[in-house]
Amino acid sequence: MANSAVKRENLTAENKNVLVEAKRARTNDENEGKDDIVSDTENILSGFKTSSVLNDSAREKIAFIHGKIDDQDAVVILEKTPFREETLTELLSGSTLKLEMRNDIYSSYRLQAPPHLNEIKTTVVFPATEKHIKRHQRQESFLVEETAEDYQSITLPYIQTQSFSLQWVYNILEKKAEADRIVFDDPDPHVGFVLLPDLKWDQKQLDNLYLIAIARQRGIQSLRDLTSEHLPLLQNLFQKGKEAILQRYNLPASQLRVYLHYQPSYYHLHVHFTRLGYEAPGCGVERAHLLSDVVQNLQTDPEFYKTRTLYFPLRADDGLLGKFREAGKIK
């Protein structure tokens, strides 16, 4: 069963059935770290003026739109929510059908669903910076080969010169924000973590389950920082994260994909828990590292990720890709 493809000409932001939630800004602007959640009675998009479609995907039923709100840049992400089994009977019986074609036993229709069954998950980045806009533009990607020496001479200096604020992460860990969304909390300062739904998951069905476990221990920026000293943390997060998901969602570990990204989207240790059958963004082999493999690698070699050559994709406009090009590592 597939949804209708999102067409560019129909990408209007004035949709009374949108679900609006403010996207966490992850740059160093004055709004960094603030969780500006819009109430369901407020329509922040009523004055949205579309400038361009940055990217869209008919397969994933998602569109990224650049525009203005009160003369300030904004990015709106429209995503068709998956079908839910418990609403199928109402969807089929309560919708209006318009015949498009009939041939023998086959017929094609346009189905107009009731508004409450036709929601569009909408994420708003406002005010948006140039980084936010570029991040969602359709661009070519390049696979980077990073040796241990490259990490020390190229990647790490680049990370250190960037202002990646993590205040929004600390707000979650300190329960100053999103406390009501926490699924599990281990308060131990060394091996503890907070488990909560990722913003990409609307929590209405398990088919696209997506949770994030954020480590309480600070100073671990990425996979490169992990050594055998961190095994207790990784094993605790792995085991208790799976147990919490089983208890809350009745989903066994055999149906979970548990992994880390390299490069990560933000430089504080966090682990992704997604349903195995869901092709979550970034779950491909060029970026995702299964947590079970990470644990085994560190058990075999305590310095595994400090010495190994790692591969990861970067978009054409990524500043780090520019540094690798300057060093003659990318053609």
Side-chain angles (χ1 to χ4, degrees), residues 182-186 193-196 240-241 244 248:
I182 293 176
V183 172
F184 179 81
D185 182 11
D186 182 339
F193 64 97
V194 168
L195 180 70
L196 74 166
K240 290 185 178 178
R248 174 67 70 91

Side-chain angles (χ1 to χ4, degrees), residues 151-174:
Y151 175 74
Q152 293 296 330
S153 63
I154 302 174
T155 305
L156 184 57
Y158 175 78
I159 294 172
Q160 292 172 338
T161 59
Q162 301 302 302
S163 298
F164 297 114
S165 174
L166 295 172
Q167 187 56 52
W168 69 271
V169 174
Y170 304 147
N171 287 344
I172 292 174
L173 295 175
E174 297 167 10

Side-chain angles (χ1 to χ4, degrees), residues 246-260:
L246 176 62
Q247 182 176 354
R248 174 67 70 91
Y249 304 107
N250 196 32
L251 198 64
S254 59
Q255 294 185 33
L256 293 176
R257 180 192 293 112
V258 187
Y259 56 97
L260 295 85

Side-chain angles (χ1 to χ4, degrees), residues 98-110:
K98 181 179 180 181
L99 180 66
E100 291 191 325
M101 179 277 296
R102 180 180 285 122
N103 185 355
D104 193 26
I105 64 173
Y106 303 100
S107 53
S108 175
Y109 301 87
R110 285 282 179 177

